[in-house]
Amino acid sequence: SLGLLGEDGQCFELIKPVSHWDVENLMDALNMFLDECQCPLSSLTQISIALGPGSYTSLRLSLTTLKTIGQVLNIPLVGYSTLEAIVYPFRHQSSVIYAITPGKRLDVNAALFTTKIGTMTRQSNAIVWSFETCRKTLALCEEPLLVVGQCPLALKVDLEKLPLCHV
């Protein structure tokens, strides 16, 4: 996904399904996105990038591309956790949140967070869990848990059956 936050607080976002995203065409997608937002590349004041977890190749190519743009424009490049970005929209509610992204074949990348009005606190480092370990661990939860992110369908179906788990 690509996002743009203006000085006036106006936010633009372009999200494409993973199957349609081609990191080799990142510059074309970025230029089209900036044109749609009527924002020239030269007007950027900072670049932010998700540092993972995620696809190694996509992360490296994106980082290289955006780092080059930052160096050419002499603007800072700021990295953030993909899992933190997933939880960020939920920071205004009081919850225990488990952020998930797909990992290798039958694994997920995940981290546990708590949120209270306007803040979020990471409760665990990013971990790689098999679907089975994830199912068993979340089944032990004693309080409501919100699961957010890109939860693989096979795991999502199982997690939706857990009484305190909201996917």
Side-chain angles (χ1 to χ4, degrees), residues 59-121:
L59 289 169
R60 296 298 153 242
L61 289 172
S62 298
L63 182 59
T64 300
T65 301
L66 296 178
K67 187 173 183 179
T68 301
I69 292 170
Q71 288 175 338
V72 168
L73 297 176
N74 196 29
I75 58 176
L77 177 66
V78 178
Y80 59 88
S81 159
T82 302
L83 297 169
E84 289 174 4
I86 290 170
V87 173
Y88 187 76
F90 300 92
R91 71 192 179 285
H92 292 296
Q93 59 189 32
S94 292
S95 299
V96 175
I97 299 178
Y98 190 68
I100 291 181
T101 62
K104 293 180 183 172
R105 193 162 179 249
L106 294 175
D107 291 338
V108 291
N109 302 300
L112 186 66
F113 296 83
T114 54
T115 57
K116 292 191 178 171
I117 311 304
T119 64
M120 62 185 215
T121 306

Side-chain angles (χ1 to χ4, degrees), residues 23-70:
V23 75
E24 292 175 8
N25 295 320
L26 177 60
M27 280 307 300
D28 292 336
L30 179 59
N31 284 325
M32 287 185 341
F33 176 65
L34 292 172
D35 286 346
E36 281 181 37
C37 299
Q38 299 176 351
C39 177
L41 188 63
S42 60
S43 70
L44 297 180
T45 58
Q46 177 178 306
I47 299 172
S48 297
I49 182 170
L51 297 174
S55 163
Y56 179 82
T57 302
S58 294
L59 289 169
R60 296 298 153 242
L61 289 172
S62 298
L63 182 59
T64 300
T65 301
L66 296 178
K67 187 173 183 179
T68 301
I69 292 170

